[in-house]
Amino acid sequence: MRLEKAYERMMAVAVAALHEREPERLWPLLAGTLAEVCGGETVIHKLDDWSERSGTIGTVPDGAAAELARLGDADLGLLRAGYPFAGHYGPGTDRTPVTARRAAGRTWPDSPTARLLREVLDADHVLGVPLPGSATPITGCLVYRSGTDFTDDELVTAERVQPLLAAVERQRRLLEEWQRALGASSVPCGAPQERAADCALTPRETAVLVLLTDALTADAIGRRLGISVRTVHKHVENIYRKLGTRDRVGTVLRAQRLGLVPSPAPAPAAWARRP
């Protein structure tokens, strides 16, 4: 797939993902297209603290998950260890995509990890696509395929789509935090995403509303979501219109009454604060 068409394909899917109300569906939407545009067959995405003992493994296609589910603790730990990418990315800040063969050199084909991948996924090569800016632990995707190693053009494509992956991951984290916060508070019945849909708020507008509630400036919201200040203001205008409000304070209060964001905890009574 040519670079421009590959990027356009990935951008279209990323934009569609940003309109998905269920955060757990975001990466499955992206991962299949990432494999397609990078010439891969299977994708594993890791979004939390990954060690040899713990960490969530998301896979596309579903058949790969079934294969991984059959692994014993030792083999699964070997896969989680992330050889050779953990060592390649860990010491510095460079997050440029790289293949296992280029990172490990001649030792890669005979490594225990490579042998395991051939047995489990029928894959000879791996492309690491970390999220830009991710620190320890490194988060992102691993793209697998059999046959020849990934080409220079496929590495360039992977690098170009990294910001799109990062934008979707920021959205996922924010929506999950929002759902947890509402789940732990006293709000009207119904799922948070259903209440947002009832108010015609898109997932992106919901994310902006959550950050408005946190008293972030437009500049700070833009940095958090990876969008321009102008785009932030456009989302804010849409939120005001849909909630029937005119300013930030009124919007936050209205959102709290509708159960779109948690209400602040009541301050303790004066007698309760006495020692």
Side-chain angles (χ1 to χ4, degrees):
M1 185 179 296
R2 296 181 61 181
L3 292 179
E4 289 302 323
K5 287 196 174 295
Y7 180 73
E8 290 172 2
R9 167 77 172 136
M10 194 70 199
M11 178 177 283
V13 174
V15 170
L18 291 175
H19 286 80
E20 171 58 54
R21 297 188 182 277
E22 302 290 346
E24 66 272 12
R25 294 179 182 173
L26 292 177
W27 274 100
L29 282 173
L30 284 182
T33 306
L34 178 63
E36 175 187 342
V37 301
C38 292
E41 298 159 358
T42 303
V43 172
I44 287 180
H45 45 91
K46 74 179 195 72
L47 308 173
D48 53 13
D49 189 358
W50 236 32
S51 69
E52 293 182 25
R53 294 174 300 278
S54 64
T56 303
I57 295 178
T59 63
V60 171
D62 292 338
E67 293 296 328
L68 296 182
R70 298 190 183 100
L71 294 180
D73 291 341
D75 286 340
L76 198 57
L78 184 65
L79 187 62
R80 284 197 179 109
Y83 174 82
F85 301 105
H88 176 81
Y89 291 118
T93 58
D94 181 18
R95 298 293 179 262
T96 305
V98 67
T99 68
R101 184 62 182 264
R102 298 187 191 199
R106 296 178 180 178
T107 62
W108 164 249
D110 296 323
S111 67
T113 302
R115 290 197 295 270
L116 176 65
L117 293 175
R118 285 194 294 269
E119 294 172 4
V120 177
L121 298 178
D122 192 25
D124 304 299
H125 301 281
V126 190
L127 169 61
V129 189
L131 295 179
S134 63
T136 304
I138 307 301
T139 56
C141 300
L142 300 175
V143 185
Y144 300 84
R145 81 175 182 199
S146 57
T148 59
D149 200 3
F150 294 86
T151 66
D152 289 341
D153 281 351
E154 287 163 345
L155 264 70
V156 170
T157 298
E159 186 173 3
R160 289 194 65 185
V161 303
Q162 278 179 301
L164 301 178
L165 301 178
V168 173
E169 173 59 5
R170 286 190 290 265
Q171 178 91 345
R172 183 192 72 86
R173 286 179 179 269
L174 192 59
L175 290 179
E176 284 193 343
E177 292 169 3
W178 169 65
Q179 289 184 355
R180 282 196 297 269
L182 285 179
S185 63
S186 177
V187 296
C189 60
Q193 56 269 36
E194 293 175 0
R195 294 195 292 274
D198 288 342
C199 295
L201 293 176
T202 68
R204 203 56 160 167
E205 290 165 354
T206 301
V208 172
L209 174 61
V210 171
L211 296 178
L212 276 178
T213 306
D214 289 341
L216 269 63
T217 65
D219 285 341
I221 293 173
R223 289 192 299 271
R224 178 77 179 270
L225 296 177
I227 58 179
S228 69
V229 174
R230 180 178 179 181
T231 301
V232 173
H233 285 307
K234 182 177 180 180
H235 287 314
V236 171
E237 290 174 2
N238 289 337
I239 294 168
Y240 286 179
R241 174 175 53 81
K242 292 177 180 181
L243 297 188
T245 56
R246 297 182 178 180
D247 55 36
R248 179 189 291 252
V249 173
T251 299
V252 172
L253 293 174
R254 174 72 170 157
Q256 289 171 346
R257 287 194 295 271
L258 292 172
L260 296 170
V261 296
S263 298
W271 61 267
R273 295 195 296 267
R274 295 172 184 170

